[in-house]
C-alpha cells in the first residue's frame, strides 16, 4: 500500500511511522518546513513519544517514509490512502477554528485523483465528514465523493506518549459515507493496524463514538470531583471509597483532581453540545470540572488563614498532564488567574519548560528555591513523586491537586499537604 499522512504532529508522525514500519510506502506532509526537514533527517520534532525516535530513524533510513510540504503533489501521486489529522483548534469557548481542516482539505482536494481513499482522523463534531470535508474535497478536486473517491472518518483514539501501544491495542473504528467506502477503508486499515479494525456503519457513528468516549471521561471525572468535595466536608478518604466502589464490576469511578486539561477531554463535550444543545450532563460536568482550580485555591486560602492577599504561591507543573509538553487548556492557567484575582503572586515551574518557555506560555517563572507561602501541585509529573519539603520554597501549605506527593515527609517537616478528596493528615 502507498499512503500519505497529512499533518506530522504528535498524532500524525507516530501514525505515519507506524504505517511505514508495517512495510508500506508513506509520504508525510506538513505545512511546517522545519518539521519536514527534521523528519527527513530521521529526527522527531517533539519529545516524549515512546519508541518513536528509533522507529522513525529506521523507516526514514530504509526509505519507507519521507516528508514534504507539498501535500497536493503527494496526493496527486495517487496513493491508496490519505490519512489527514490536522489539529482542529478551538477558542476559549471551544468553538472550532476550521482553518487547518479547510486548508488540508483544499490541498488534498487539489491533488486528488480517482481511486484514492481519504480518511479524516481529527476529532470533529458529528456530521463534519459528510457536510464539510466531502464537499470541500469535491470542490477542490472536481470529483464526486462516493463514486470517484471515498471519504471516511476514523477517530484517532491514542494518547500521546503511547501511540504505538495504543494503535496495537484499541479497536480502530471506521465509518464511511457509504458501505463501499467503509469496506475499502476497513480493508486498507487492516493492512497495518495491529488491533481490531471495526466498521461503524456510518461516518456519523464513528464521529459520535469519539465524542461519547471522551465526554464519558469528563462527566465521570466531574462525578469524582463532586464526591471529593463531599468527602472533604466529611473528612473521608475518597481514594479508598472509590477503590472499594470499583470493586463492584459496574462501578468505574475515575479519580478527582485539580483540573481536566488538554486538547481533548475539556473540548469534546462542547462538540457534543454543539450538535445536541439539549444535553445536560456534559454541560454540568464541564461546569464542575472548570470549578476545580478555584476549589484548590480555596483550600490553600483557608489553610493560609483566609486570605491570599500579598501571598506568593508556586504552581508546580504547567503541562496539562504529566510527561507531556503541552499546555492546551491546562488547569495551571486557571490556577494562575484565580491566584491573581485574589491578589496573590503566582509563580510557576515545570520540569519540561525552561523559563523562556514559561514566560511565552504566560507564566512568571519561579526562581528555583525562592521563598513562597504556599504551593499547588497541578501536574502529575513523575519527578514530583519524590519532591520533599525542601523543594517547595519553604511553603507552609501545599495543595496536592493530583495526589502525587508523599504527605508523611512533608508532615514531619511541619508542612501541611492538602489533597482533594483526602483528609488532611497534618
Ligand atoms: N495529541 C493527542 O493526544 C490527541 C489524541 C487523540 C486525538 N488527537 C487528534 O489529533 C489532532 C492533531 O493533534 P496533534 O496532537 O497531532 O497536533 P500537533 O499540534 O502536535 O500537530 C499538528 C501538526 O499539524 C501541522 N498542520 C497544521 N495544519 C496543517 C495543514 N493544513 N496541512 C498539513 N499539516 C498541518 C502542524 O504544522 C503540526 O505539525 C487533534 O486535533 C485531535 O483531533 C490528538
Amino acid at each position: 500500500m502507498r499512503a500519505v499522512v497529512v499533518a506530522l504532529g504528535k498524532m500524525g508522525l507516530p501514525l505515519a511511522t507506524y504505517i511505514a514500519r508495517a512495510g508500506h510506502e508513506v509520504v508525510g506532509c506538513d505545512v511546517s518546513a522545519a518539521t519536514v526537514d527534521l523528519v527527513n533527517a530521521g529526527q522527531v520534532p517533539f519529545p516524549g513519544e515512546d519508541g518513536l525516535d528509533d522507529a522513525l530513524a529506521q523507516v526514514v533510513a530504509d526509505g519507507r517514509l519521507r516528508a514534504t510540504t507539498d501535500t497536493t503533489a503527494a496526493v496527486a501521486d495517487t496513493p491508496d490512502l490519505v490519512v489527514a489529522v490536522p489539529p482542529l483548534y478551538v477558542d476559549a469557548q471551544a468553538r472550532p477554528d476550521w482553518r487547518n481542516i479547510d486548508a488540508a482539505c483544499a490541498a488534498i482536494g487539489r491533488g486528488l485523483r480517482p481511486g484514492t481513499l481519504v480518511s479524516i482522523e481529527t476529532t470533529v463534531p458529528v456530521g463534519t465528514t459528510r457536510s464539510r470535508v466531502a464537499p470541500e474535497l469535491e470542490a477542490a478536486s472536481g470529483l464526486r465523493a462516493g463514486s470517484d473517491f471515498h471519504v471516511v472518518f476514523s477517530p484517532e483514539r491514542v494518547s500521546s506518549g503511547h501511540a504505538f501501544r495504543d494503535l496495537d491495542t484499541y479497536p480502530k473504528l471506521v465509518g464511511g459515507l457509504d458501505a463501499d467506502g467503509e469496506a475499502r477503508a476497513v480493508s486498507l486499515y487492516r493492512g497495518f493496524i495491529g488491533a481490531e479494525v471495526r466498521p461503524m456503519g456510518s461516518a456519523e457513528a464513528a464521529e459520535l463514538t469519539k465524542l461519547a468516549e471522551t465526554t464519558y471521561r469528563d462527566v465521570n471525572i466531574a462525578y469524582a470531583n463532586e464526591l471529593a468535595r463531599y468527602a472533604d466536608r466529611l473528612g473521608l478518604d475518597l481514594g479508598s471509597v472509590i477503590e472499594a466502589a470499583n470493586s463492584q464490576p459496574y462501578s468505574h469511578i475515575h479519580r478527582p483532581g485539580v483540573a481536566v486539561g488538554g486538547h481533548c477531554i475539556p473540548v469534546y463535550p462542547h462538540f457534543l453540545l454543539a450538535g445536541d444543545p439539549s444535553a445536560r450532563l456534559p454541560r454540568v460536568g464541564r461546569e464542575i470540572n472548570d470549578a476545580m482550580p478555584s476549589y484548590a485555591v480555596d483550600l490553600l486560602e483557608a489553610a493560609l488563614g483566609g486570605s491570599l492577599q500579598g501571598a506568593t504561591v508556586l504552581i508546580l507543573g504547567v503541562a496539562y498532564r504529566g510527561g507531556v509538553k503541552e499546555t492546551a487548556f491546562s488547569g495551571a492557567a486557571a490556577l494562575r488567574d484565580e491566584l491573581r484575582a485574589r491578589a496573590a503572586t503566582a509563580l510557576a515551574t515545570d520540569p519540561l519548560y525552561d523559563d523562556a518557555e514559561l514566560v511565552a506560555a504566560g507564566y512568571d517563572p519561579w526562581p528555583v528555591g525562592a521563598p513562597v507561602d504556599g504551593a499547588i501541585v497541578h501536574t502529575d509529573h513523575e519527578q514530583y513523586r519524590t519532591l520533599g519539603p525542601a523543594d517547595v520554597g519553604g511553603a507552609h501549605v501545599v495543595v496536592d491537586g493530583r495526589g502525587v506527593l508523599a504527605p508523611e515527609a512533608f508532615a514531619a517537616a511541619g508542612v501541611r499537604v492538602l489533597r482533594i478528596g483526602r483528609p488532611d493528615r497534618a
Side-chain angles (χ1 to χ4, degrees), residues 210-232:
K210 174 71 186 185
L211 300 185
E213 73 192 29
T214 47
T215 301
Y216 164 79
R217 285 173 60 192
D218 198 45
V219 169
N220 192 324
I221 294 166
Y223 177 50
N225 282 333
E226 274 206 329
L227 288 174
R229 295 171 77 136
Y230 182 38
D232 279 343

Side-chain angles (χ1 to χ4, degrees), residues 344-363:
T345 299
L347 301 178
T349 179
D350 190 301
L352 297 180
Y353 291 79
D354 64 26
D355 283 0
E357 290 170 326
L358 286 173
V359 170
Y363 297 93

Side-chain angles (χ1 to χ4, degrees), residues 35 52 62 76 92 103 112-113 168 185 197 248 253 293 301 311 332 359 379 389:
T35 295
L52 183 57
D62 291 350
L112 203 56
R113 305 284 181 265
D168 276 338
V197 177
Q248 201 270 3
I253 304 167
E301 188 172 54
V359 170
T379 309

